[in-house]
Amino acid sequence: MADASMTVGVVGLGLIGGSFAKAYADAGIPVYGADIDEGSLRAALAEGTITGVLDQRTVPECTLIIIALYPAATVSWLSDTASHISPSTLVMDCGGVKRSICPHCFLLAQRYGFVFFGGHPMAGTHKSGFRAARSDLYVGQPMVLVPPETYDPAQLYRFEQALSPVGFGSYSVTSASRHDQVIAYTSQLAHVVSSAFIKSPTALQHTGFSAGSYKDLTRVAELNPDMWTELFLDNADNLQSELDLLIQELERYRDALAFQDEEALRQLLAEGTEAKLKADGRFPNTSVATPSMPRS
C-alpha cells in the first residue's frame, strides 16, 4: 500500500532515475520529474510515470528527492535548488562516485536543514535513457548509502523506509572514500577492461565462435562515453591503482606464455581460481566483508 504522505521528486529520467520513478509510480506514489531531454519528460508524463514537472514550485512538496545526474550536474542542481527544499525532505543522489558529490551536498544539507545521503544502486544495464527504465530494475539488488561522517541512525531508517517501495534486497553503509575505492574495482575497472578487450581486430570475427565468456566480457563495452569519462576522472587515483595491479598480473601471464613456462602458467590459473572462491566466500575459512562505517 502506498504511503499517502509520500511524494517523490526525481531529477534525471534516464535508466537510473526513470526506473526509480516507475517503481514509485507503480506503488501509487505521486512522482514529479525533471529532465533536460524534453522527449523523456513528455514520455514520462504521457505514460503517467510522473504526475507533473519537478521545479521550484513542486520541490517543496516532495518528501524524497532522488538526483540521478552526472556528478558535476548533481552538485549544480542541488546548489541551485537547496533553498527551496523542505527541512523534512530526504535527498539522495545516485552517482557512481561519491567524493566529488557528497562533501558539497552534505554542506548544502547542513546549511538549509534537509537530510542528504549519498546513494548508489547496484543495478543497471548497458542500455540508457527513459525507454530502458523499468520499475523492477532494483528489486532484490544491493543499495549503497553514504551518510555524513556523523549522523542520526534514525535518518538511515527513514531512507530505508522511503526506498522500500523500490524493492532493494540489501543495504550497505559506507564512507565516500571507501565507496570510491571499492567501486573502482567492481565497476570502473570492469568497464575499462571491456572497452579495451572489444578493440581487438579478432572481435570482428567472433560470430559463431563466441559464447558466455565473450558476452560477459563485452556487455559493458557499449557505454555512455560522456558519463563514464566524468566518473573515471573523478576517481582517477583509485582506478589507476586498480589498472596498475591488473597490468602487473597480465604481464605475469604473458611472460609465462612467452617462456613456455607450464608450471608458472598452471600456478597463475590456480591462483585465479582460489581468488575467485575467496572473493565469493566459498574458500574454506574465508568470509566476505561488507563495506560499512559506524553509526553515530
Side-chain angles (χ1 to χ4, degrees):
M1 181 179 296
D3 182 345
S5 65
M6 190 174 188
T7 299
V8 176
V10 178
V11 189
L13 295 171
L15 172 68
I16 299 302
S19 294
F20 272 109
K22 290 185 177 185
Y24 283 111
D26 280 4
I29 295 168
V31 180
Y32 291 110
D35 198 288
I36 59 173
D37 178 33
E38 290 294 330
S40 295
L41 198 59
R42 286 195 300 269
L45 285 165
E47 69 177 40
T49 294
I50 62 174
T51 57
V53 176
L54 183 69
D55 53 25
Q56 292 184 355
R57 178 184 57 82
T58 54
V59 160
E61 299 179 30
C62 298
T63 55
L64 171 67
I65 295 176
I66 295 171
I67 310 172
L69 303 174
Y70 297 179
T74 294
V75 174
S76 177
W77 184 89
L78 193 59
S79 298
D80 292 341
T81 314
S83 62
H84 300 279
I85 297 174
S86 168
S88 61
T89 300
L90 301 175
V91 182
M92 182 188 80
D93 86 286
C94 299
V97 291
K98 287 289 159 273
R99 290 176 299 168
S100 59
I101 296 174
C102 287
H104 304 284
C105 295
F106 289 151
L107 288 174
L108 288 167
Q110 185 177 24
R111 178 179 177 184
Y112 291 100
F114 57 86
V115 178
F116 176 87
F117 272 28
H120 193 177
M122 295 290 100
T125 72
H126 63 282
K127 298 179 180 179
S128 60
F130 183 72
R131 289 185 178 181
R134 354 184 284 257
S135 62
D136 64 348
L137 182 67
Y138 305 120
V139 174
Q141 301 303 312
M143 178 67 183
V144 179
L145 292 173
V146 179
E149 186 174 348
T150 301
Y151 70 102
D152 183 347
Q155 295 173 347
L156 176 61
Y157 177 76
R158 287 181 63 200
F159 269 102
E160 291 179 354
Q161 289 299 109
L163 292 169
S164 61
V166 180
F168 287 108
S170 63
Y171 292 90
S172 298
V173 182
T174 191
S175 65
S177 59
R178 178 61 173 161
H179 168 277
D180 288 2
Q181 179 188 10
V182 175
I183 216 70
Y185 172 74
T186 61
S187 176
Q188 295 184 343
L189 180 65
H191 283 77
V192 171
V193 170
S194 185
S195 180
F197 175 81
I198 197 63
K199 293 175 183 176
S200 168
T202 311
L204 299 176
Q205 306 167 35
H206 83 86
T207 303
F209 294 86
S210 55
S213 55
Y214 170 85
K215 292 178 182 177
D216 290 344
L217 267 172
T218 59
R219 181 180 67 84
V220 295
E222 187 180 344
L223 47 69
N224 179 331
D226 293 334
M227 181 183 76
W228 285 100
T229 294
E230 184 171 341
L231 294 175
F232 289 166
L233 291 176
D234 280 354
N235 202 26
D237 53 346
N238 288 315
L239 183 53
Q240 283 179 265
S241 295
E242 292 295 342
L243 277 168
D244 288 343
L245 291 172
L246 176 61
I247 290 168
Q248 290 173 20
E249 285 298 315
L250 289 174
E251 287 176 343
R252 294 176 68 199
Y253 286 86
R254 185 186 60 190
D255 289 348
L257 291 168
F259 292 104
Q260 291 289 294
D261 192 334
E262 180 179 349
E263 184 52 38
L265 184 58
R266 182 181 292 108
Q267 181 62 30
L268 287 169
L269 295 171
E271 289 173 2
T273 297
E274 181 177 322
K276 169 63 174 172
L277 293 173
K278 287 181 177 179
D280 291 351
R282 295 185 287 130
F283 197 77
N285 302 318
T286 300
S287 60
V288 180
T290 300
S292 62
M293 65 183 290
R295 303 177 189 177
S296 302

